[in-house]
Amino acid sequence: MTLNASDKVFVKERLERAREIMLRYPDSRSALLPLLHELQDAAGYVTQSGMREIADLLGITPAEVLGTASFYTMFKLEPIGDHLVSVCTSLSCQLYGADVLYRNLLAHFAVANKKTTADGVFTFEEVECAAACGGAPCLQIDYKYFEFLDPEKAVELLEDVRNRGLSIVHEERGSVNAPLPPLTPEEVSKGPAPVGSGPLSETAREEGHG
Amino acid sequence: MAELVLTRRMLDRPHDSWTLDAYHEMEGYQGLYRAVREMTPEQVHAEVKASGLRGRGGAGFPTGTKWGFVPKDIFPRYLVVNGDEGEPGTFKDRMLMERDPHSLVEGILISCYALQSEHAFIYIRGEMGHAYERVVRAVEEARAVGYVGKDIGGTDFSCEITVHKAAGAYICGEETALLSSLAGYRGWPRLRPPFPAVKGLYDKPTVVNNVETMCNMPWITRRGGAAYAEMGTERSPGTRIFCLSGHVNRPGNYEIELGTTFRELFERWGQGVRNGGRVKAFVPGGASAPWFDASKLDVPLDMDVLGKEGSMLGSGAVMVMDQDADIPRAVWRLVKFFAHESCGQCTPCREGADWLEEILERMLDGHGRPQDLDLLFDVCDNISPGLNWPPAQTTICPLGPSATAPVWSTIRLFPEEYKRLVTGAHTSLASSAPAGAEPAGVTADA
Ligand SMILES: Cc1cc2nc3c(=O)[nH]c(=O)nc-3n(C[C@H](O)[C@H](O)[C@H](O)COP(=O)(O)O)c2cc1C
Ligand code: SF4
Ligand code: FES
């Protein structure tokens, strides 16, 4: 993290960007969630001082900012690890053993739900449906998708991320375009085919995100 | 089989369907030009009405009719597109936003023209970072060539699109909660009326439509509402993307004509139940829908028929469970979802969903009591009196009653599974599942 908790977040380009975001809306209060995202991207979590800055920008009270931020699960009010691991245990994933997968992960990393590993690398959270049910069981690392896991693969995946970093592992094993488009009826009649993410398309690779 | 309206492009161009170049090569933005250059807003609206298109967000309300509720003389007015997809089992809007964002943008522009709105907002679920980036990029590309902004296509129609990233709260998918959230507040639903069409975003008339609903618009304007209405069934026209998940060999998103049966969906598209098994239960339309057992396999995917059969097509999420599935455990997981996502404004929803979760958890934990089934019914009845379908609603929004649907529908269909919990013949939830082991009844082997 380049910022200290007390550093001002909305200065220079970030301040300009904040102003630009506010102008997108007929009423600048609509920029509250986007600005909280900006803050969290910059500071790693939603800091008290950052929320005061947002309150000043929008002309509302810090209490209003906090009252809104705390409603939304993506905003973290305390520092978290380098990577956020969100494991879906909702129904479609549960049907493929996601609860076992998650318990196993926590045991392997000796950590509890919503807590960070001792080395500060991973913070774990159990989440509701991640909209990747066709690739169940799945998880997100920093909101990047990994699908078709099982308890062993999930542990191995996270060890891989810890050793080699998220971006390279995501490029090799993540799903950029999941879920795959459906097959046409003609293709359907040819019989079973692989589903879900498959290899990344070349274009998606070039784009470098997902 | 009908033509593919929504997924043709991503099938034909799997490596670049989301780019403007590819979209242009596939009739991209021709619907928009046709609308703004050759049609009046009223004519576009009339085509949408003629198509019979019904909203794909869950309630299935006819889109043309909804647009008609906007008061004639109040401006500005807004279009807000619901991309908050979070209902367990649903994963189609994400696919559309990632793979076909330009059809969403074009659909929005066409709809704004018809609604005479000059500002649209796309509210995208925050966890879908990739979808957000793709949509933002599509809007920028469209702006660069003059589809978004002032004097579109050399006409005097102007339209701005703002892409808004949400921050994690399922309830914000409910339209009034979404509008509060978009305005910068907590995502709390409010009582309707007034309906958003009359008093919505910033208290102005606002139409809220789902992503998939929007993606149909380019096709409808190019080919006409009548051609659209020829597909599907009379009261559920068109094609629709069904999100098939659970114990089938090939889960995924499938665009099929309405009127197809569940059996066909599972066997032809899903390639049958895994390991050659059989269907024990399925959720026909998202987490809020009452469940079906195998006796309903030949029911057609038609909104009205599903309503008569006591459930709904809802968000298009179909979840299949094979003979080994542990029904009360699956139900507990959905109830836990609702308890977690309740915004807490209404007592029956806030307290009731928690109670349901706790009772089921205790039963699964090996402490079921004979009176628990009555207790479950009783709690359900307190949330949604009468346990009917469609459910009675004593709460601000439908989330409360939704939490009861999986419970009462499965106790009626699979009473023996619940009785097993009461007689203690079930292994406990916690103790049976040390890390790494498989708890009884949950099949993690696929
Ligand atoms: C609790 C709840 C959650 C909802 N979530 C969504 C959602 O994620 N996406 C969506 O399009 N509609 C959702 N809806 C339905 C919306 O309220 C609204 O009816 C819909 O967006 C209208 O679009 P349509 O007419 O195009 O279907 C939800 C409704 C409720 C009650
Ligand atoms: S029914 Fe539940 S989710 Fe809906 S407004 Fe009431 S408490 Fe909130
Ligand atoms: S249930 Fe896990 S992604 Fe939908």
Side-chain angles (χ1 to χ4, degrees):
Chain A
M1 229 51 66
T2 47
L3 283 170
N4 292 316
S6 55
D7 286 348
K8 229 165 140 49
V9 172
F10 293 98
V11 290
K12 298 196 189 115
E13 297 91 50
R14 233 182 261 116
L15 179 61
E16 265 168 47
R17 204 176 137 69
R19 296 237 159 86
E20 184 266 314
I21 291 172
M22 287 160 63
L23 287 175
R24 292 178 195 166
Y25 302 90
D27 177 344
S28 64
R29 167 110 194 202
S30 282
L32 179 49
L33 264 52
L35 292 186
L36 285 163
H37 276 301
E38 294 282 318
L39 167 61
Q40 181 153 295
D41 288 348
Y45 69 106
V46 169
T47 60
Q48 293 286 338
S49 61
M51 284 192 279
R52 274 196 296 276
E53 288 181 60
I54 292 176
D56 287 344
L57 280 166
L58 299 181
I60 57 180
T61 67
E64 282 176 293
V65 176
L66 175 63
T68 310
S70 61
F71 185 80
Y72 297 93
T73 55
M74 282 178 80
F75 295 134
K76 309 299 177 196
L77 298 168
E78 277 161 25
I80 60 168
D82 302 341
H83 298 293
L84 178 65
V85 182
S86 314
V87 182
C88 173
T89 61
S90 232
L91 182 53
S92 303
C93 287
Q94 188 215 44
L95 292 172
Y96 282 96
D99 42 2
V100 180
L101 180 152
Y102 190 45
R103 258 196 302 274
N104 192 51
L105 265 187
L106 293 179
H108 178 87
F109 287 95
V111 68
N113 185 33
K114 296 198 175 161
K115 291 284 189 276
T116 304
T117 49
D119 61 6
V121 177
F122 297 119
T123 298
F124 287 90
E125 62 177 7
E126 178 180 17
V127 295
E128 292 296 346
C129 181
C133 329
C138 67
L139 57 76
Q140 289 186 306
I141 308 178
D142 297 345
Y143 302 108
K144 292 184 192 310
Y145 285 95
F146 295 86
E147 301 173 288
F148 297 109
L149 300 169
D150 60 36
E152 292 75 38
K153 271 194 213 156
V155 167
E156 196 226 318
L157 171 73
L158 290 194
E159 289 293 358
D160 201 12
V161 169
R162 178 149 73 178
N163 294 330
R164 295 196 297 151
L166 177 60
S167 53
I168 185 160
V169 174
H170 180 248
E171 198 174 300
E172 283 173 23
R173 308 169 57 162
S175 31
V176 160
N177 277 318
L180 255 200
L183 301 184
T184 58
E186 308 86 72
E187 287 168 319
V188 164
S189 57
K190 283 190 210 139
V195 280
S197 46
L200 305 189
S201 72
E202 289 310 312
T203 334
R205 255 183 219 286
E206 279 155 27
E207 280 186 310
H209 57 215
Chain B
M1 175 64 204
E3 201 178 319
L4 296 174
V5 174
L6 301 155
T7 54
R8 184 78 264 167
R9 287 171 295 278
M10 58 183 92
L11 284 165
D12 286 351
R13 303 282 291 256
H15 300 299
D16 64 355
S17 60
W18 53 89
T19 64
L20 182 59
D21 286 347
Y23 192 62
H24 270 149
E25 285 166 30
M26 299 179 289
E27 303 180 277
Y29 290 100
Q30 289 179 15
L32 173 67
Y33 271 11
R34 171 134 206 263
V36 299
R37 287 179 172 163
E38 297 166 24
M39 299 165 81
T40 63
E42 293 75 20
Q43 282 170 328
V44 178
H45 187 176
E47 289 300 328
V48 173
K49 264 195 191 146
S51 74
L53 174 69
R54 295 171 65 168
R56 305 300 195 225
F61 196 81
T63 307
T65 311
K66 186 191 272 187
W67 290 5
F69 295 150
V70 175
K72 295 265 165 299
D73 42 0
I74 305 183
F75 295 90
R77 49 185 58 175
Y78 300 110
L79 172 68
V80 174
V81 177
N82 192 338
D84 196 43
E85 184 172 67
E87 177 111 340
T90 318
F91 50 103
K92 65 187 173 68
D93 295 336
R94 178 164 79 87
M95 178 181 76
L96 289 169
M97 291 189 282
E98 287 180 2
R99 288 181 176 271
D100 203 9
H102 278 287
S103 80
L104 173 62
V105 172
E106 185 182 0
I108 289 170
L109 293 164
I110 292 168
S111 306
C112 279
Y113 179 70
L115 290 162
Q116 300 179 54
S117 163
E118 296 195 332
H119 200 159
F121 299 83
I122 313 176
Y123 184 98
I124 301 180
R125 182 168 169 194
E127 292 92 335
M128 299 179 182
H130 189 43
Y132 174 78
E133 286 169 26
R134 284 259 166 99
V135 174
V136 166
R137 181 182 297 199
V139 172
E140 281 165 9
E141 284 179 324
R143 192 192 310 279
V145 292
Y147 296 140
V148 174
K150 292 247 174 295
D151 304 335
I152 294 165
T155 68
D156 61 4
F157 170 59
S158 299
C159 190
E160 200 38 63
I161 299 180
T162 300
V163 190
H164 188 88
K165 187 175 183 174
Y170 164 75
I171 192 58
C172 291
E174 193 280 333
E175 57 182 18
T176 62
L178 186 148
L179 295 175
S180 314
S181 173
L182 182 52
Y185 296 84
R186 295 176 152 242
W188 271 349
R190 64 158 174 76
L191 280 171
R192 301 170 303 177
F195 286 92
V198 176
K199 207 169 175 203
L201 186 63
Y202 313 128
D203 288 341
K204 298 293 182 201
T206 303
V207 167
V208 181
N209 272 137
N210 168 261
V211 165
E212 185 185 345
T213 309
M214 283 293 115
C215 292
N216 282 295
M217 298 303 169
W219 197 98
I220 292 173
T221 6
R222 277 199 319 270
R223 305 279 290 274
Y228 190 87
E230 270 170 31
M231 298 183 288
T233 66
E234 202 188 327
R235 306 249 358 246
S236 291
T239 65
R240 192 169 170 179
I241 302 178
F242 288 96
C243 315
L244 184 58
S245 69
H247 296 153
V248 285
N249 280 315
R250 206 181 53 205
N253 280 323
Y254 298 106
E255 178 181 358
I256 57 182
E257 206 171 351
L258 287 157
T260 312
T261 64
F262 283 100
R263 188 186 297 280
E264 258 186 289
L265 175 62
F266 300 164
E267 288 178 1
R268 193 153 164 231
W269 276 270
Q271 294 288 314
V273 175
R274 63 169 182 174
N275 308 327
R278 59 180 175 78
V279 175
K280 179 194 214 166
F282 61 100
V283 184
S288 315
W291 294 24
F292 282 163
D293 63 12
S295 71
K296 303 278 188 187
L297 280 171
D298 292 307
V299 169
L301 297 154
D302 172 299
M303 296 171 205
D304 293 338
V305 175
L306 264 264
K308 286 198 200 94
E309 293 285 346
S311 189
M312 62 171 180
L313 274 191
S315 60
V318 185
M319 293 177 268
V320 181
M321 280 158 264
D322 72 7
Q323 69 285 342
D324 297 330
D326 181 335
I327 301 292
R329 193 183 172 88
V331 168
W332 161 74
R333 190 59 191 81
L334 284 187
V335 167
K336 182 174 159 184
F337 162 78
F338 287 113
H340 181 252
E341 301 299 335
S342 166
C343 83
Q345 286 185 100
C346 323
T347 314
C349 172
R350 183 188 63 234
E351 301 295 325
D354 271 350
W355 270 101
L356 290 176
E357 183 193 346
E358 276 168 34
I359 297 165
L360 283 166
E361 189 163 328
R362 178 170 50 69
M363 292 171 75
L364 286 161
D365 236 344
H367 304 294
R369 300 169 311 186
Q371 63 270 38
D372 280 338
L373 291 193
D374 286 338
L375 186 59
L376 284 171
F377 270 122
D378 196 44
V379 177
C380 288
D381 189 62
N382 274 309
I383 303 174
S384 179
L387 306 183
N388 294 316
W389 191 259
Q393 190 175 317
T394 58
T395 49
I396 295 172
C397 92
L399 186 140
S402 296
T404 70
V407 181
W408 57 253
S409 65
T410 55
I411 298 181
R412 284 172 187 166
L413 288 172
F414 305 101
E416 68 291 349
E417 298 231 1
Y418 286 90
K419 287 192 187 122
R420 222 179 61 216
L421 300 181
V422 170
T423 52
H426 191 88
T427 1
S428 110
L429 186 65
S431 61
S432 71
E438 264 176 48
V442 172
T443 40
D445 55 339

Coordinates of all heavy atoms in Angstrom, one line a residue, chain A residues 11-56:
Chain A
V11 N -6.3 13.8 -3.6 CA -5.5 14.9 -4.1 C -5.1 14.7 -5.5 O -5.2 13.6 -6.0 CB -4.2 15.0 -3.2 CG1 -4.5 15.5 -1.8 CG2 -3.5 13.7 -3.2
K12 N -4.6 15.7 -6.2 CA -4.1 15.6 -7.5 C -5.1 14.9 -8.5 O -6.2 15.1 -8.6 CB -2.7 15.1 -7.6 CG -1.7 15.9 -6.8 CD -0.3 15.5 -7.1 CE 0.7 16.2 -6.2 NZ 1.4 15.3 -5.4
E13 N -4.5 13.8 -9.2 CA -5.3 13.1 -10.2 C -6.6 12.5 -9.5 O -7.6 12.5 -10.1 CB -4.6 12.0 -10.9 CG -3.4 12.5 -11.7 CD -2.1 12.4 -10.8 OE1 -1.9 11.4 -10.2 OE2 -1.4 13.5 -10.8
R14 N -6.4 12.0 -8.3 CA -7.5 11.4 -7.7 C -8.6 12.4 -7.3 O -9.8 12.0 -7.4 CB -7.1 10.6 -6.4 CG -7.5 9.1 -6.5 CD -7.2 8.3 -5.3 NE -6.0 7.5 -5.5 CZ -4.8 7.7 -4.8 NH1 -4.7 8.6 -3.9 NH2 -3.8 6.9 -5.1
L15 N -8.2 13.6 -7.0 CA -9.2 14.6 -6.7 C -9.9 15.0 -8.0 O -11.2 15.1 -8.1 CB -8.6 15.8 -6.1 CG -9.5 17.0 -5.8 CD1 -10.6 16.6 -4.8 CD2 -8.7 18.2 -5.2
E16 N -9.2 15.1 -9.1 CA -9.8 15.4 -10.4 C -10.7 14.3 -10.8 O -11.8 14.6 -11.3 CB -8.7 15.5 -11.5 CG -8.2 16.9 -11.7 CD -6.9 16.9 -12.5 OE1 -6.9 16.2 -13.6 OE2 -6.0 17.6 -12.1
R17 N -10.3 13.1 -10.6 CA -11.1 12.0 -11.0 C -12.4 12.0 -10.2 O -13.5 11.8 -10.7 CB -10.4 10.7 -10.7 CG -10.9 9.5 -11.6 CD -10.0 8.3 -11.4 NE -10.9 7.1 -11.3 CZ -11.6 6.7 -12.3 NH1 -11.5 7.2 -13.5 NH2 -12.4 5.6 -12.2
A18 N -12.3 12.3 -8.9 CA -13.5 12.4 -8.0 C -14.5 13.4 -8.5 O -15.7 13.2 -8.6 CB -13.1 12.7 -6.6
R19 N -13.9 14.6 -8.9 CA -14.8 15.6 -9.4 C -15.5 15.2 -10.7 O -16.6 15.5 -10.9 CB -13.9 16.9 -9.7 CG -13.3 17.5 -8.4 CD -13.8 18.9 -8.3 NE -13.6 19.4 -6.9 CZ -12.5 19.8 -6.3 NH1 -11.4 19.9 -7.1 NH2 -12.4 20.2 -5.1
E20 N -14.7 14.5 -11.6 CA -15.3 14.0 -12.8 C -16.4 13.0 -12.5 O -17.5 13.1 -13.2 CB -14.1 13.4 -13.7 CG -14.5 12.9 -15.0 CD -14.9 11.4 -15.1 OE1 -14.2 10.6 -14.4 OE2 -15.9 11.1 -15.7
I21 N -16.2 12.1 -11.6 CA -17.2 11.2 -11.2 C -18.5 11.9 -10.7 O -19.6 11.5 -11.1 CB -16.7 10.2 -10.2 CG1 -15.6 9.3 -10.8 CG2 -17.8 9.3 -9.6 CD1 -14.9 8.4 -9.7
M22 N -18.3 12.9 -9.9 CA -19.4 13.6 -9.4 C -20.3 14.2 -10.5 O -21.5 14.3 -10.4 CB -19.0 14.7 -8.3 CG -18.5 14.0 -7.0 SD -17.5 15.1 -6.0 CE -18.6 16.5 -5.7
L23 N -19.6 14.7 -11.5 CA -20.3 15.3 -12.6 C -21.1 14.4 -13.5 O -22.0 14.8 -14.3 CB -19.3 16.1 -13.5 CG -18.7 17.4 -12.9 CD1 -17.7 18.0 -13.8 CD2 -19.8 18.4 -12.6
R24 N -20.9 13.1 -13.3 CA -21.7 12.1 -14.1 C -23.1 12.1 -13.7 O -23.9 11.5 -14.4 CB -21.1 10.7 -13.9 CG -19.7 10.5 -14.5 CD -19.2 9.1 -14.2 NE -17.8 9.0 -14.4 CZ -17.1 8.0 -14.0 NH1 -17.7 7.0 -13.3 NH2 -15.8 7.9 -14.3
Y25 N -23.4 12.6 -12.5 CA -24.7 12.4 -11.9 C -25.4 13.7 -11.8 O -24.8 14.7 -11.4 CB -24.6 11.7 -10.6 CG -24.0 10.4 -10.6 CD1 -22.6 10.2 -10.4 CD2 -24.7 9.2 -10.9 CE1 -21.9 9.0 -10.5 CE2 -24.1 8.0 -10.9 CZ -22.7 7.9 -10.7 OH -22.1 6.6 -10.8
P26 N -26.7 13.8 -12.0 CA -27.5 15.0 -11.8 C -27.4 15.5 -10.3 O -27.5 16.6 -10.0 CB -28.9 14.6 -12.1 CG -28.8 13.4 -13.0 CD -27.6 12.7 -12.6
D27 N -27.2 14.5 -9.4 CA -27.1 14.8 -8.0 C -25.8 14.2 -7.5 O -25.6 13.0 -7.6 CB -28.3 14.3 -7.2 CG -28.2 14.5 -5.7 OD1 -27.1 14.9 -5.2 OD2 -29.2 14.4 -5.0
S28 N -24.9 15.0 -7.0 CA -23.5 14.5 -6.7 C -23.5 13.4 -5.6 O -22.6 12.6 -5.5 CB -22.6 15.6 -6.3 OG -23.0 16.2 -5.1
R29 N -24.6 13.3 -4.8 CA -24.6 12.3 -3.8 C -24.5 10.9 -4.4 O -24.1 9.9 -3.7 CB -25.9 12.5 -2.9 CG -26.2 11.3 -2.0 CD -26.0 11.6 -0.6 NE -26.1 10.3 0.2 CZ -26.3 10.3 1.5 NH1 -26.6 11.4 2.2 NH2 -26.3 9.1 2.1
S30 N -25.0 10.8 -5.6 CA -24.9 9.5 -6.3 C -23.5 9.0 -6.5 O -23.3 7.8 -6.7 CB -25.5 9.6 -7.7 OG -26.9 9.6 -7.7
A31 N -22.6 9.9 -6.3 CA -21.1 9.5 -6.5 C -20.6 8.9 -5.2 O -19.4 8.5 -5.2 CB -20.3 10.7 -6.8
L32 N -21.4 8.7 -4.2 CA -20.9 8.2 -2.9 C -20.3 6.8 -3.1 O -19.2 6.6 -2.6 CB -22.0 8.2 -1.8 CG -21.6 7.7 -0.5 CD1 -20.3 8.3 0.0 CD2 -22.8 7.9 0.5
L33 N -21.0 5.9 -3.6 CA -20.5 4.5 -3.8 C -19.2 4.5 -4.7 O -18.2 3.9 -4.3 CB -21.5 3.5 -4.3 CG -22.3 2.7 -3.2 CD1 -22.8 3.6 -2.1 CD2 -23.3 1.9 -3.8
P34 N -19.3 5.2 -5.8 CA -18.1 5.2 -6.7 C -16.9 5.8 -5.9 O -15.7 5.3 -6.0 CB -18.5 6.1 -7.9 CG -19.9 5.9 -8.0 CD -20.4 5.7 -6.6
L35 N -17.1 6.9 -5.1 CA -16.0 7.5 -4.4 C -15.5 6.5 -3.3 O -14.3 6.5 -3.0 CB -16.4 8.8 -3.8 CG -16.7 9.9 -4.8 CD1 -16.9 11.3 -4.1 CD2 -15.6 10.1 -5.8
L36 N -16.4 5.8 -2.7 CA -15.9 4.8 -1.7 C -15.0 3.8 -2.3 O -14.1 3.3 -1.8 CB -17.1 4.2 -0.9 CG -17.8 5.1 0.1 CD1 -19.2 4.6 0.5 CD2 -16.9 5.2 1.4
H37 N -15.4 3.4 -3.6 CA -14.6 2.4 -4.3 C -13.2 3.0 -4.6 O -12.2 2.3 -4.4 CB -15.3 2.0 -5.6 CG -16.3 1.0 -5.6 ND1 -16.0 -0.3 -5.1 CD2 -17.6 0.9 -5.9 CE1 -17.1 -1.1 -5.2 NE2 -18.1 -0.3 -5.6
E38 N -13.2 4.3 -5.0 CA -11.9 4.9 -5.3 C -11.1 4.9 -4.0 O -9.9 4.6 -4.0 CB -12.2 6.4 -5.7 CG -12.9 6.5 -7.0 CD -11.9 6.3 -8.2 OE1 -10.8 6.8 -8.2 OE2 -12.4 5.6 -9.2
L39 N -11.7 5.3 -2.9 CA -11.0 5.3 -1.6 C -10.4 3.9 -1.3 O -9.2 3.8 -0.9 CB -11.9 5.8 -0.5 CG -11.5 5.6 0.9 CD1 -10.2 6.3 1.2 CD2 -12.6 6.1 1.9
Q40 N -11.2 2.9 -1.4 CA -10.8 1.6 -1.0 C -9.7 1.1 -2.0 O -8.7 0.4 -1.6 CB -12.0 0.6 -1.1 CG -11.6 -0.8 -0.7 CD -12.8 -1.6 0.0 OE1 -13.3 -1.2 1.0 NE2 -13.2 -2.6 -0.7
D41 N -9.8 1.4 -3.3 CA -8.8 1.0 -4.2 C -7.4 1.7 -3.8 O -6.4 1.1 -4.0 CB -9.1 1.5 -5.7 CG -10.3 0.6 -6.2 OD1 -10.6 -0.4 -5.6 OD2 -10.8 1.0 -7.3
A42 N -7.5 2.9 -3.4 CA -6.3 3.6 -3.0 C -5.7 3.2 -1.7 O -4.5 3.0 -1.6 CB -6.6 5.1 -3.1
A43 N -6.6 3.1 -0.7 CA -6.1 2.9 0.7 C -6.1 1.4 1.1 O -5.6 1.1 2.2 CB -6.8 3.8 1.6
G44 N -6.7 0.6 0.4 CA -6.8 -0.8 0.7 C -8.1 -1.1 1.5 O -8.6 -2.2 1.6
Y45 N -8.6 -0.1 2.2 CA -9.9 -0.3 2.9 C -10.5 1.1 3.0 O -9.9 2.1 2.6 CB -9.7 -1.0 4.2 CG -9.0 -0.2 5.3 CD1 -9.7 0.4 6.4 CD2 -7.6 0.0 5.3 CE1 -9.1 1.1 7.4 CE2 -7.0 0.7 6.2 CZ -7.7 1.3 7.3 OH -7.1 2.0 8.3
V46 N -11.7 1.2 3.6 CA -12.4 2.4 3.7 C -12.0 3.1 5.0 O -12.4 2.7 6.1 CB -14.0 2.2 3.6 CG1 -14.7 3.4 4.0 CG2 -14.4 1.7 2.2
T47 N -11.1 4.0 4.9 CA -10.5 4.6 6.1 C -11.4 5.7 6.7 O -12.2 6.4 5.9 CB -9.1 5.2 5.8 OG1 -9.3 6.2 4.8 CG2 -8.1 4.2 5.3
Q48 N -11.3 6.0 8.0 CA -12.0 7.1 8.6 C -11.7 8.4 8.0 O -12.6 9.2 7.6 CB -11.7 7.1 10.1 CG -12.1 5.9 10.9 CD -13.6 5.9 11.2 OE1 -14.3 7.0 11.1 NE2 -14.2 4.8 11.4
S49 N -10.4 8.7 7.8 CA -10.1 10.0 7.2 C -10.5 10.1 5.8 O -11.0 11.2 5.4 CB -8.5 10.2 7.3 OG -7.9 9.2 6.6
G50 N -10.5 9.0 5.0 CA -11.0 9.0 3.7 C -12.4 9.3 3.6 O -12.9 10.1 2.8
M51 N -13.2 8.7 4.5 CA -14.6 9.0 4.6 C -14.9 10.4 4.9 O -15.9 11.0 4.4 CB -15.3 8.0 5.6 CG -15.4 6.6 5.0 SD -16.5 5.6 6.0 CE -15.4 5.1 7.3
R52 N -14.1 11.0 5.8 CA -14.3 12.5 6.0 C -14.0 13.3 4.8 O -14.7 14.2 4.5 CB -13.3 12.9 7.2 CG -13.9 12.7 8.6 CD -13.2 13.4 9.6 NE -11.8 13.0 9.8 CZ -11.4 11.9 10.5 NH1 -12.3 11.2 11.2 NH2 -10.1 11.6 10.6
E53 N -13.0 12.9 4.0 CA -12.8 13.6 2.8 C -14.0 13.5 1.8 O -14.4 14.5 1.2 CB -11.5 13.0 2.1 CG -10.2 13.4 2.7 CD -9.1 12.8 1.9 OE1 -8.9 13.1 0.7 OE2 -8.3 11.9 2.4
I54 N -14.5 12.3 1.7 CA -15.7 12.1 0.8 C -16.8 13.0 1.3 O -17.5 13.6 0.5 CB -16.1 10.6 0.8 CG1 -15.0 9.9 0.0 CG2 -17.4 10.5 0.0 CD1 -15.2 8.4 0.0
A55 N -17.0 13.0 2.6 CA -18.1 13.8 3.2 C -18.0 15.3 2.8 O -18.9 15.9 2.4 CB -18.2 13.7 4.7
D56 N -16.7 15.8 2.9 CA -16.5 17.2 2.5 C -16.8 17.4 1.0 O -17.4 18.4 0.6 CB -15.0 17.6 2.8 CG -14.8 17.7 4.3 OD1 -15.8 17.9 5.0 OD2 -13.6 17.7 4.7

